Amino acid sequence: MKLADFGFIEGINEIIAVTRNEDGSLNTAPIGIIVEDCNSTLARARLFRSHTRENVKRDKVMYANVIWDAEIFALASFQDLEQDYFESLEPPVLKNALSWCKFRAMLRGAYADLELVDGKVLRKDVRAVNRGFNAVIEALVHATRYVILKDENKKRELKERILYYYEIAKKCGRDKEKKAFEIILEKIH
Amino acid sequence: MKLADFGFIEGINEIIAVTRNEDGSLNTAPIGIIVEDCNSTLARARLFRSHTRENVKRDKVMYANVIWDAEIFALASFQDLEQDYFESLEPPVLKNALSWCKFRAMLRGAYADLELVDGKVLRKDVRAVNRGFNAVIEALVHATRYVILKDENKKRELKERILYYYEIAKKCGRDKEKKAFEIILEKIH
């Protein structure tokens, strides 16, 4: 078993992390899993102050879902996804996820050291590159900073970038990407 | 047979188009195939003045390769790919392409009307979202404009954008993305 089996490559893999909150409910958040050798079981992730980080600290477990759904990325950036979005709760698997992985997770400074301990490929697919989808991912990087920043100048700059990507999504994306931007734009009003 | 079978979704699908030059050699270029209904066989593509356009005009045939290889996208943006890059020449299929399609193509103004007439899925895969790959695609949009523009101010602006994406590729990408940027940076010196 190695990271590559489940769709991870060298570099930063943007996935939906699923952890369990103290009350047993599921926490979902997009995070980047940093992989140096995809033929190994070892990775790490930068975890900022968040529920994900608290849950990892307590449980020492993190699940990852490899998925290509712009709306899911947008929703998970700002809230926990309800059970309706999952096709399985144990292990936690979002509908249409291509694969899931379970990582043993240990906080170390700003990072969590991750070790792949279980996983499954649920479906493989063939999809063409879509700049609209990519635009959602980039916009979310900026939008999640936007909502925590105070500096009005920086906020304005981020908003401009987000609106730039919105244009790409309108031109190149499909409904999913447009729905994702509805969620994003609501956050930057 | 429908577009969705080969990885096309609604929106603009970034693929490598393969057409035949007048001397029989293969022409390769990244283009965006515009799909309104992926359950149909009909699509279109904007074709600027290019060898692709001339070949489509003459042959009324265009092949598409659905592929996720940043280096191939970068190379094909600036030159024809040699035969070594193909795993099949008839139909023309690049190594590691997920699928190929054959379109009947008819120029209409700035666009080509496309009708899917043949195709095959060669391999399906599972891959996590990678911002480094996406950064290559965005940088190529700017780099291909950069090389034809004369206006120094616009060129400077495009170069800044390209260098912004280079930072993302260095941080999030793997070797393929870094190789792609070597090709891109050489063009904007």
Side-chain angles (χ1 to χ4, degrees):
Chain A
M1 192 171 58
K2 57 187 194 290
L3 289 160
D5 297 340
F6 306 106
F8 291 83
I9 56 171
E10 274 89 14
I12 305 187
N13 300 266
E14 309 295 331
I15 54 85
I16 305 290
V18 190
T19 56
R20 206 164 280 282
N21 295 318
E22 204 159 7
D23 66 2
S25 62
L26 292 174
N27 170 272
T28 47
I31 69 159
I33 293 193
I34 305 162
V35 172
E36 277 171 29
D37 176 5
C38 65
N39 291 311
S40 79
T41 57
L42 301 178
R44 63 201 179 105
R46 182 149 196 183
L47 294 183
F48 296 97
R49 255 175 78 168
S50 62
H51 291 296
T52 303
R53 187 179 168 89
E54 288 166 29
N55 295 344
V56 162
K57 187 175 178 183
R58 189 180 58 252
D59 271 357
K60 299 179 178 55
V61 168
M62 188 178 86
Y63 288 86
N65 277 203
V66 170
I67 192 167
W68 287 78
D69 184 318
E71 196 182 357
I72 291 289
F73 270 96
L75 284 169
S77 295
F78 302 110
Q79 66 184 70
D80 285 348
L81 293 168
E82 287 163 30
Q83 295 198 358
D84 287 354
Y85 288 97
F86 288 83
E87 63 181 43
S88 156
L89 295 174
E90 194 55 50
V93 183
L94 292 162
K95 285 174 186 165
N96 297 321
L98 299 184
S99 70
W100 64 268
C101 288
K102 182 181 182 179
F103 291 103
R104 190 177 297 137
M106 190 66 72
L107 291 188
R108 190 159 57 93
Y111 292 85
D113 286 334
L114 303 173
E115 186 189 354
L116 177 68
V117 291
D118 198 3
K120 195 175 175 187
V121 174
L122 302 160
R123 48 187 76 85
K124 294 190 170 194
D125 74 353
V126 46
R127 89 181 46 241
V129 175
N130 183 286
R131 293 179 63 211
F133 178 86
N134 301 350
V136 171
I137 300 295
E138 292 308 304
L140 284 170
V141 171
H142 302 311
T144 49
R145 280 192 65 208
Y146 181 95
V147 296
I148 55 171
L149 275 183
K150 299 257 185 292
D151 183 320
E152 285 303 326
N153 286 331
K154 282 192 183 144
K155 279 174 104 84
R156 198 174 309 121
E157 192 191 308
L158 290 176
K159 190 170 187 169
E160 262 172 40
R161 284 181 188 267
I162 292 164
L163 295 176
Y164 169 79
Y165 287 114
Y166 181 39
E167 292 304 312
I168 296 176
K170 280 194 284 188
K171 185 178 150 208
C172 304
R174 54 178 175 162
D175 280 358
K176 277 279 183 193
E177 282 71 40
K178 287 160 200 165
K179 278 188 194 165
F181 265 98
E182 282 172 23
I183 295 160
I184 295 168
L185 296 178
E186 207 177 283
K187 299 289 174 187
I188 62 165
H189 264 332
Chain B
M1 193 172 56
K2 56 186 195 289
L3 288 160
D5 297 339
F6 306 107
F8 291 82
I9 56 171
E10 274 90 14
I12 304 186
N13 300 265
E14 308 295 332
I15 53 84
I16 306 290
V18 190
T19 55
R20 207 163 279 280
N21 296 316
E22 204 159 9
D23 66 1
S25 63
L26 292 174
N27 170 272
T28 48
I31 69 160
I33 292 192
I34 305 162
V35 173
E36 277 171 30
D37 176 5
C38 65
N39 291 312
S40 79
T41 56
L42 301 178
R44 62 200 180 108
R46 182 147 195 187
L47 293 184
F48 297 97
R49 254 174 79 167
S50 63
H51 290 297
T52 303
R53 186 178 169 89
E54 288 167 30
N55 295 343
V56 162
K57 188 175 179 183
R58 190 181 57 252
D59 271 357
K60 300 179 178 54
V61 169
M62 188 178 85
Y63 288 87
N65 278 202
V66 170
I67 192 166
W68 287 77
D69 184 318
E71 197 183 356
I72 291 290
F73 270 97
L75 284 169
S77 296
F78 302 110
Q79 65 183 71
D80 286 347
L81 293 168
E82 287 163 30
Q83 295 198 356
D84 288 355
Y85 288 98
F86 287 83
E87 63 183 42
S88 155
L89 294 175
E90 194 56 50
V93 183
L94 292 161
K95 285 175 184 164
N96 297 320
L98 298 184
S99 70
W100 64 268
C101 288
K102 182 181 182 180
F103 290 103
R104 192 176 294 137
M106 192 66 73
L107 291 189
R108 191 159 56 95
Y111 292 86
D113 286 334
L114 302 173
E115 186 190 354
L116 177 67
V117 290
D118 198 4
K120 194 173 176 188
V121 173
L122 301 160
R123 47 188 76 84
K124 295 190 170 192
D125 74 352
V126 46
R127 87 181 48 241
V129 176
N130 183 286
R131 293 179 63 213
F133 178 86
N134 301 350
V136 171
I137 300 295
E138 292 309 304
L140 283 171
V141 171
H142 302 311
T144 48
R145 281 192 63 208
Y146 181 95
V147 295
I148 54 171
L149 276 182
K150 299 257 184 290
D151 183 320
E152 284 304 324
N153 286 331
K154 281 191 185 147
K155 279 173 103 83
R156 198 174 308 121
E157 192 191 308
L158 291 176
K159 191 170 186 169
E160 263 172 38
R161 284 181 188 267
I162 293 164
L163 294 176
Y164 169 79
Y165 287 114
Y166 182 40
E167 292 304 312
I168 296 177
K170 279 194 287 188
K171 185 177 151 210
C172 304
R174 53 177 175 163
D175 281 355
K176 278 280 184 192
E177 282 72 39
K178 287 160 199 162
K179 278 188 194 166
F181 264 98
E182 282 172 24
I183 295 161
I184 295 168
L185 295 177
E186 206 176 281
K187 298 289 174 189
I188 63 165
H189 263 331

